[in-house]
Structure formats: C-alpha cells, structure tokens
Amino acid sequence: MLICGKCHCGNISFALAWEPDPAEIRARACTCTFCAKHGAVWTSNPHATLRVVVQDPALLSKYSFGTGNASFHTCARCGIVPVVTSRIEGRLYAVVNVNAFEGIDPSLIHREPKDFGGEDSGARLA
Ligand SMILES: [Zn+2]
C-alpha cells in the first residue's frame, strides 16, 4: 500500500510504501505537550520506505526539544507537523502523522495513547 499524506497547504508531502498491505495501522498519540497541542498521532514501520517532498524549504521549520533526538518538521505556512525524523548512528528514521494521511480508510488506523518519555533509546528505535 502506498500511503500518501501532506500538510494542510501541501508544502510538505510524503509517500510511505508499506508492504505488505496493512490489516491495521497502529498509531501512537504521543502525550508530550508538543504532540498533544498539535493533535499529532504517529505511526512507523521499519519495513516501509518513506519519501518526503518539500516544495518550499523556506517554509519548513524544524523543531527539537527534550533530548533533542527528534526533529519535528513543521510547515511554517499552515502549522501542520506531518513528519518527525531522528538520525541514529548515521541512519535517518522517521515517523509520520496519521492525521496528515490522504485517502486512507480511517477504520484501518488503530489509535492508542503513548508516553514516549519512559522509553530508552532501544525501545524508541524499535
Ligand atoms: Zn503546509
């Protein structure tokens, strides 16, 4: 399944190639104050590949806080946060915001609250 998403204005878009087709997409509603205030709900798949396109890089804001491990890619025009990246031992990982999905059946998405604060880096990477 090719899962496409974008911010509200379309400046930041992504295509997530998720193989095989998911029976459900598990999504984590991070309870940190940044994600709670943005209503961001994240998913990832270590077997998927993600392509991100930014039309106007001048309107891409990258924000980090806490441990500084994660970079929240926020559209400076519309304020949506479609993607978070983290560089770990030279490799770039990402999670995407299921609320930025386009044309995906909402019943596929299983949302659950998640506090990432208690995770060590191994658990978080997994
Ligand atoms: Zn935007």
Side-chain angles (χ1 to χ4, degrees):
M1 176 183 281
L2 187 63
I3 298 171
C4 294
K6 61 184 181 181
C7 70
H8 191 262
C9 72
N11 184 45
I12 305 170
S13 59
F14 62 80
L16 182 66
W18 189 305
E19 301 284 348
D21 285 1
E24 71 166 7
I25 296 170
R26 294 187 64 187
R28 294 152 295 180
C30 176
T31 55
C32 89
T33 52
F34 181 87
C35 292
K37 290 180 183 203
H38 278 276
V41 182
W42 307 105
T43 195
S44 60
N45 180 340
H47 307 295
T49 54
L50 177 67
R51 179 178 154 83
V52 177
V53 175
V54 178
Q55 289 182 352
D56 184 351
L59 291 174
L60 173 68
S61 169
K62 295 181 185 177
Y63 180 62
S64 294
F65 58 93
T67 62
N69 289 332
S71 181
F72 291 75
H73 299 256
T74 308
C75 179
R77 183 160 51 205
C78 71
I80 306 301
V81 192
V83 178
V84 177
T85 58
S86 186
R87 187 169 293 281
I88 301 167
E89 294 176 353
R91 185 166 175 192
L92 192 62
Y93 295 87
V95 296
V96 295
N97 186 348
V98 301
N99 289 327
F101 285 1
E102 299 267 326
I104 299 298
D105 181 354
S107 68
L108 266 182
I109 301 169
H110 178 73
R111 297 159 188 260
E112 56 193 28
K114 177 71 180 174
D115 178 3
F116 295 98
E119 287 182 335
D120 62 21
S121 58
R124 188 167 302 182
L125 178 56

